[in-house]
Amino acid sequence: MSTFEGPSDLVVSSLPTPVPSSSQYLLAIHATATNFFDLLQIRGKYQHQPPFPWISGSEFSGTVLSVPTALSKAKFSVGDCVFGASQGGYATHICCEEERLRPVPKGWGFLEAAGLMVTAPTSYAALVTRAGVKKGDFVLIHAAAGGVGLAAVQVAKAFGATVIATAGSARKLEVAKSYGADYGIDYNAAGWEAEVKKLTPKGNGVDIVFDPVGMVEKSLRCTAWNGRIVVVGFAAGTFEKVAMNRVLLKNVSIVGLHWGMYATEETEKVEEVWRALFRLMEDRKFRGTVYTDQEFVGLESVGQALGMLGRRETWGKVVVKVPQEEGGSKL
């Protein structure tokens, strides 16, 4: 990109295949996933803005074309199937460092794996590392039909929790239940907080709130004594003002989760979380969350996919298939 535009203004360009540095892999991308932060970055409103010109996108899956010459023992070999995240995911090829890559799980395809790198560890770290989810907990998951929400539903269920999912439509609540949610609540309905409390033991409220939207203030009304609220994001687009007296009166803990910073601040935790996630996948307690109501093929469809994501018209991870063509790269 060379200017700040909206998703409908994205243009596909043809350039020579990128040349990796001695510490990078060269990858052929077969699928690329969309994220809300891609929309913010495209509009120049994200906290991490690369200098112009740059290629948008982040999450992807594909195959290894070449390995880093500087590594005496590379983790991946030519032909290996991998997924990862790095600036420039909306392209046919990408150069990427080893720490940004993971092997495609056994039995998974490129579409399912493309949306794993951000949503899966975010949900796991939020619920397990930060909130300490355990068997018997009642967990309220907002925007439960989104990519990070469906991942959170599966993680909570894997630990034996009862999941109350919120979403903005009957279709999205249906999707959340298909991934294991026990109950569904439309958060557009007046008084939804009271409905949540009715579903909990003795009407005391939920033990954990998973919030990628910005609904802390309202969630406090249905949070139990000693409850934990994990702030994961602000999809609503605003930063809340919270009545702290409610936090004190209910002995509630409000914690944040910035998964991206773990690579800098707690590197050992990154590997711990991924080992746990791969175990869940092997045990078939965690599956892909790809949006299947419509198919997106080719980089030319990225703008449409992002537009639908931004208008909240999708569920799960919106993933674009990226056909590989002979000669050069598209981005």
Side-chain angles (χ1 to χ4, degrees), residues 76-239:
F76 303 106
S77 302
V78 172
D80 282 354
C81 299
V82 297
F83 67 92
S86 186
Q87 184 69 52
Y90 297 153
T92 57
H93 297 80
I94 194 170
C95 298
C96 194
E97 291 75 16
E98 188 167 275
E99 62 268 20
R100 294 179 174 273
L101 300 172
R102 301 280 163 178
V104 171
K106 185 177 180 181
W108 285 52
F110 287 122
L111 277 183
E112 292 78 14
L116 268 178
M117 198 67 173
V118 174
T119 56
T122 295
S123 298
Y124 188 95
L127 289 173
V128 181
T129 307
R130 300 295 281 154
V133 65
K134 63 185 183 301
K135 184 177 181 179
D137 279 341
F138 272 68
V139 180
L140 176 63
I141 298 178
H142 289 307
V148 74
L150 289 177
V153 168
Q154 295 181 86
V155 171
K157 292 303 296 180
F159 277 77
T162 298
V163 171
I164 303 174
T166 72
S169 71
R171 170 60 176 149
K172 290 183 178 182
L173 289 174
E174 175 189 358
V175 170
K177 289 182 178 180
S178 74
Y179 276 80
D182 298 282
Y183 305 101
I185 299 287
D186 185 341
Y187 56 33
N188 290 319
W192 63 262
E193 305 96 326
E195 294 304 311
V196 169
K197 290 189 72 173
K198 290 178 183 177
L199 297 172
T200 63
K202 299 181 180 180
N204 289 331
V206 296
D207 302 291
I208 297 172
V209 177
F210 178 90
D211 183 15
V213 181
M215 300 179 69
V216 173
E217 176 69 21
K218 291 183 178 180
S219 298
L220 280 168
R221 301 171 188 171
C222 56
T223 303
W225 171 261
N226 277 337
R228 292 90 76 196
I229 299 177
V230 190
V231 179
V232 180
F234 310 97
T238 58
F239 300 120

Side-chain angles (χ1 to χ4, degrees), residues 62-78:
T63 53
V64 175
L65 297 181
S66 71
V67 300
T69 57
L71 296 183
S72 58
K73 190 175 181 181
K75 183 177 179 180
F76 303 106
S77 302
V78 172

Side-chain angles (χ1 to χ4, degrees), residues 246-314:
R246 289 182 180 174
V247 177
L248 182 151
L249 292 172
K250 285 192 171 184
N251 219 43
V252 168
S253 299
I254 301 177
V255 299
L257 186 282
H258 186 176
W259 173 248
M261 285 302 295
Y262 275 81
T264 302
E265 301 293 340
E266 293 184 64
T267 54
E268 71 284 353
K269 186 64 67 175
V270 174
E271 295 304 318
E272 178 185 318
V273 166
W274 276 112
R275 283 195 297 269
L277 280 167
F278 274 102
R279 285 196 296 270
L280 290 183
M281 295 176 209
E282 291 168 5
D283 293 340
R284 297 186 178 182
K285 294 181 178 180
F286 193 99
R287 59 189 172 100
T289 61
V290 179
Y291 175 70
T292 55
D293 291 357
Q294 182 174 334
E295 187 178 53
F296 301 92
V297 180
L299 295 174
E300 293 80 4
S301 66
V302 167
Q304 180 188 10
L306 282 171
M308 292 180 65
L309 177 71
R311 294 189 298 272
R312 309 294 200 276
E313 296 173 357
T314 62

Side-chain angles (χ1 to χ4, degrees), residues 22-51:
S22 61
S23 63
Q24 292 180 316
Y25 289 84
L26 174 62
L27 309 167
I29 295 177
H30 292 276
T32 183
T34 61
N35 288 283
F36 277 103
F37 62 76
D38 294 334
L39 286 166
L40 292 175
Q41 194 179 62
I42 287 169
R43 292 172 176 141
K45 297 180 180 180
Y46 194 51
Q47 59 260 41
H48 303 300
Q49 290 292 148

